[in-house]
Amino acid sequence: MGKWSDGGAFAMSTEDERRALRKPEQIDLGTYRSGPPVREFRFTIDLDARPLVTLLDAAEQGRRVYELMTIRRPGDVLHYFWVKVSSTDTRLIRALATAKPPSPRDTRDSVAESIEAPLVAVDRSLFTQDEDAHPAALSWTLHRTGSFWRDKMLTLYRLICRAQLRLRDSQDFLTRHELQRIDDLCHWRDFQSSIDRRTELDLPRSRTDVPAEVLARIKELVTQSNVRSVSCLADHYGLWRFLVEQQVRRANNSGLPPQQTLALCGPDSGLTGIDANDWGGEIHIPYEGVCDGDLYICPARKTLNHEHTGLGGNLSWAFGKDCHYVLTPIDHGYLGCALRTPVGSWVLYESNRPYVPAGPLGHAQAQQIEEGGT
């Protein structure tokens, strides 16, 4: 699995299987009569499993591993079907509008002849045993209780079982660590009342572009003894996955809590599609502002306190955060208080003062790290 990309290096399903899952299968549920005025309507649906493809792709990247591995019965597959319901019956389409995820293109007065939604949401609207229900609901229920769905669920469940076995062959450290936590019944999601199953059609994308040479330099820095905390404003999946991996490795080796071995702090705006708890790590997200860190990665920082940038100055005071290193795409030129090293299109500044630990959770945290070691 690639450390720095949003893609994996192995596949848990073939491209042919993925193509088949994405391809809509049209199903004719027949006709029904409804009114007033009484008219005959044809009821068709397009069915595909695009959310399942997204789940498989996510698991290859180390995301949603728990969700995939806890699919243990054919009925769990129902969460990963996507349905397009087509009908000229505007009453039916309007009734299904509550099942459809909202779209910015929706308008209050628009009248469509089709609607797309997760199967489980359509089920909530149409699946019924009430003989007085809408005729379309009766057609839906009759079809849903037939053999077609049992066969479809069994087919996809077997595919998922194969994907689960392939995932266990992954050599990625965090994936193997999370699988072990699942096997040991100590994953944090084991203690939730239900399993979060998400019918997503797309993978989350990193909001920050971090060049490969910068990522490589971060990897070198984090292995140093004078980087025991990282405050990072970059929302980059591969970068954070590496940082959490280093944190978990240190925690496993020392027996200390993750934040006492490599304290990690992200941006107050949060991170996209990243839950360090799944991986056995921890990332502090501040309520507002930015935390301190031995390594301060600030892709958006544009201003400096120039009173403290000269000889005898202080890099921490110049950037407004306790730090020993600053990595930024903004080239502030020569600073008398720090050593300047270009890293591709970015610049690394290293304080010329003696190293003093800077904890993103405050000076008390820094002291804990100092006492606990690495």
Side-chain angles (χ1 to χ4, degrees), residues 60-61 86 100 107 114 117 140 158 181 183 186 201 231 248 262 271 296-297 305 364:
E60 287 181 10
Q61 297 180 5
S86 300
K100 174 183 178 294
T107 61
S114 66
W140 174 266
R158 294 185 184 108
R181 291 167 65 83
D183 293 342
C186 63
L201 297 178
S231 180
V248 172
L262 178 63
L271 297 167
Y296 179 31
I297 304 170
N305 186 337

Tab-separated table of all heavy atoms in Angstrom, residues 60-61 86 100 107 114 117 140 158 181 183 186 201 231 248 262 271 296-297 305 364:
chain	number	residue	atom	x	y	z
A	60	GLU	N	-8.741	-0.652	0.727
A	60	GLU	CA	-7.402	-0.788	0.158
A	60	GLU	C	-6.488	0.349	0.626
A	60	GLU	O	-5.272	0.182	0.739
A	60	GLU	CB	-7.472	-0.792	-1.369
A	60	GLU	CG	-8.031	-2.094	-1.939
A	60	GLU	CD	-8.066	-2.084	-3.456
A	60	GLU	OE1	-7.484	-1.159	-4.048
A	60	GLU	OE2	-8.668	-2.994	-4.037
A	61	GLN	N	-7.077	1.506	0.909
A	61	GLN	CA	-6.306	2.651	1.385
A	61	GLN	C	-6.159	2.654	2.906
A	61	GLN	O	-5.505	3.543	3.455
A	61	GLN	CB	-6.988	3.950	0.950
A	61	GLN	CG	-7.070	4.154	-0.543
A	61	GLN	CD	-7.751	5.471	-0.889
A	61	GLN	OE1	-8.078	6.266	-0.020
A	61	GLN	NE2	-7.980	5.696	-2.169
A	86	SER	N	-37.552	4.827	-11.447
A	86	SER	CA	-38.120	5.587	-12.557
A	86	SER	C	-39.611	5.339	-12.638
A	86	SER	O	-40.073	4.194	-12.593
A	86	SER	CB	-37.462	5.172	-13.881
A	86	SER	OG	-36.072	5.418	-13.845
A	100	LYS	N	-34.081	10.349	-0.771
A	100	LYS	CA	-32.977	10.748	-1.638
A	100	LYS	C	-32.032	11.696	-0.907
A	100	LYS	O	-32.475	12.652	-0.281
A	100	LYS	CB	-33.541	11.442	-2.880
A	100	LYS	CG	-32.504	12.041	-3.817
A	100	LYS	CD	-33.198	12.755	-4.956
A	100	LYS	CE	-32.182	13.424	-5.892
A	100	LYS	NZ	-31.467	14.512	-5.228
A	107	THR	N	-34.613	21.726	-6.625
A	107	THR	CA	-35.438	22.912	-6.433
A	107	THR	C	-36.772	22.486	-5.871
A	107	THR	O	-37.236	21.360	-6.108
A	107	THR	CB	-35.656	23.675	-7.758
A	107	THR	OG1	-36.333	22.823	-8.694
A	107	THR	CG2	-34.329	24.116	-8.350
A	114	SER	N	-37.588	10.392	-12.116
A	114	SER	CA	-36.736	9.378	-11.482
A	114	SER	C	-36.085	9.984	-10.250
A	114	SER	O	-36.014	11.209	-10.108
A	114	SER	CB	-35.669	8.868	-12.453
A	114	SER	OG	-34.755	9.894	-12.771
A	117	ALA	N	-31.327	6.898	-4.811
A	117	ALA	CA	-31.186	6.830	-3.357
A	117	ALA	C	-30.615	5.472	-2.959
A	117	ALA	O	-30.643	4.517	-3.731
A	117	ALA	CB	-32.540	7.047	-2.685
A	140	TRP	N	-43.200	-3.098	-5.056
A	140	TRP	CA	-41.833	-3.120	-4.526
A	140	TRP	C	-41.645	-4.251	-3.507
A	140	TRP	O	-40.694	-5.018	-3.571
A	140	TRP	CB	-41.517	-1.776	-3.876
A	140	TRP	CG	-40.205	-1.713	-3.168
A	140	TRP	CD1	-39.978	-1.934	-1.844
A	140	TRP	CD2	-38.923	-1.429	-3.751
A	140	TRP	NE1	-38.637	-1.794	-1.552
A	140	TRP	CE2	-37.972	-1.486	-2.699
A	140	TRP	CE3	-38.499	-1.123	-5.033
A	140	TRP	CZ2	-36.623	-1.238	-2.916
A	140	TRP	CZ3	-37.158	-0.877	-5.249
A	140	TRP	CH2	-36.230	-0.937	-4.203
A	158	ARG	N	-20.362	-13.328	-1.124
A	158	ARG	CA	-19.197	-14.180	-1.414
A	158	ARG	C	-18.027	-13.341	-1.926
A	158	ARG	O	-16.864	-13.603	-1.607
A	158	ARG	CB	-19.592	-15.258	-2.423
A	158	ARG	CG	-20.608	-16.270	-1.872
A	158	ARG	CD	-20.881	-17.392	-2.860
A	158	ARG	NE	-21.911	-18.289	-2.363
A	158	ARG	CZ	-23.153	-18.362	-2.838
A	158	ARG	NH1	-23.506	-17.589	-3.866
A	158	ARG	NH2	-24.026	-19.205	-2.326
A	181	ARG	N	-6.690	-5.718	16.164
A	181	ARG	CA	-7.591	-5.142	17.158
A	181	ARG	C	-9.017	-5.652	16.962
A	181	ARG	O	-9.754	-5.887	17.929
A	181	ARG	CB	-7.544	-3.615	17.091
A	181	ARG	CG	-6.218	-3.035	17.580
A	181	ARG	CD	-6.077	-1.577	17.217
A	181	ARG	NE	-7.067	-0.741	17.877
A	181	ARG	CZ	-6.968	-0.260	19.107
A	181	ARG	NH1	-5.896	-0.560	19.839
A	181	ARG	NH2	-7.885	0.513	19.625
A	183	ASP	N	-9.771	-8.625	15.638
A	183	ASP	CA	-9.744	-10.030	16.072
A	183	ASP	C	-9.743	-10.141	17.593
A	183	ASP	O	-10.322	-11.082	18.157
A	183	ASP	CB	-8.515	-10.739	15.500
A	183	ASP	CG	-8.574	-10.886	13.988
A	183	ASP	OD1	-9.682	-10.765	13.423
A	183	ASP	OD2	-7.514	-11.119	13.381
A	186	CYS	N	-10.963	-5.516	20.646
A	186	CYS	CA	-10.595	-4.317	21.393
A	186	CYS	C	-10.606	-3.079	20.503
A	186	CYS	O	-10.057	-2.033	20.868
A	186	CYS	CB	-9.229	-4.486	22.061
A	186	CYS	SG	-7.852	-4.719	20.916
A	201	LEU	N	-20.707	7.156	-2.608
A	201	LEU	CA	-20.384	6.860	-4.010
A	201	LEU	C	-18.969	7.282	-4.384
A	201	LEU	O	-18.468	6.879	-5.428
A	201	LEU	CB	-21.390	7.568	-4.932
A	201	LEU	CG	-22.850	7.126	-4.787
A	201	LEU	CD1	-23.735	7.932	-5.721
A	201	LEU	CD2	-22.999	5.642	-5.079
A	231	SER	N	2.622	19.384	14.812
A	231	SER	CA	1.422	20.189	14.597
A	231	SER	C	1.319	20.437	13.100
A	231	SER	O	2.186	21.085	12.514
A	231	SER	CB	1.513	21.512	15.360
A	231	SER	OG	0.350	22.290	15.150
A	248	VAL	N	1.831	4.936	16.462
A	248	VAL	CA	1.421	3.609	16.942
A	248	VAL	C	2.641	2.723	17.165
A	248	VAL	O	2.713	1.973	18.151
A	248	VAL	CB	0.427	2.960	15.957
A	248	VAL	CG1	0.154	1.505	16.343
A	248	VAL	CG2	-0.869	3.755	15.928
A	262	LEU	N	4.303	10.176	20.411
A	262	LEU	CA	4.412	11.142	19.320
A	262	LEU	C	3.106	11.921	19.316
A	262	LEU	O	2.087	11.441	18.817
A	262	LEU	CB	4.648	10.455	17.972
A	262	LEU	CG	4.732	11.394	16.763
A	262	LEU	CD1	5.933	12.344	16.893
A	262	LEU	CD2	4.831	10.613	15.456
A	271	LEU	N	-10.033	16.920	9.719
A	271	LEU	CA	-9.358	16.195	8.647
A	271	LEU	C	-10.381	15.407	7.845
A	271	LEU	O	-11.373	14.923	8.392
A	271	LEU	CB	-8.297	15.258	9.224
A	271	LEU	CG	-7.153	15.953	9.964
A	271	LEU	CD1	-6.339	14.942	10.767
A	271	LEU	CD2	-6.250	16.699	8.983
A	296	TYR	N	6.374	21.897	12.971
A	296	TYR	CA	5.183	22.686	12.653
A	296	TYR	C	5.061	22.753	11.134
A	296	TYR	O	5.893	23.363	10.466
A	296	TYR	CB	5.324	24.072	13.282
A	296	TYR	CG	4.180	25.026	13.024
A	296	TYR	CD1	2.870	24.589	12.855
A	296	TYR	CD2	4.419	26.399	12.960
A	296	TYR	CE1	1.843	25.480	12.636
A	296	TYR	CE2	3.396	27.309	12.747
A	296	TYR	CZ	2.103	26.837	12.578
A	296	TYR	OH	1.085	27.727	12.356
A	297	ILE	N	4.033	22.103	10.590
A	297	ILE	CA	3.802	22.061	9.142
A	297	ILE	C	2.641	23.002	8.857
A	297	ILE	O	1.496	22.730	9.223
A	297	ILE	CB	3.479	20.629	8.673
A	297	ILE	CG1	4.607	19.677	9.081
A	297	ILE	CG2	3.274	20.588	7.158
A	297	ILE	CD1	4.268	18.202	8.888
A	305	ASN	N	6.332	37.353	12.512
A	305	ASN	CA	6.671	38.444	13.411
A	305	ASN	C	8.151	38.745	13.181
A	305	ASN	O	9.028	38.074	13.732
A	305	ASN	CB	6.408	38.046	14.865
A	305	ASN	CG	6.609	39.197	15.816
A	305	ASN	OD1	7.329	40.157	15.515
A	305	ASN	ND2	5.997	39.107	16.981
A	364	ALA	N	2.615	20.847	29.710
A	364	ALA	CA	2.509	19.644	30.558
A	364	ALA	C	2.684	18.399	29.707
A	364	ALA	O	3.346	17.434	30.098
A	364	ALA	CB	1.163	19.619	31.273
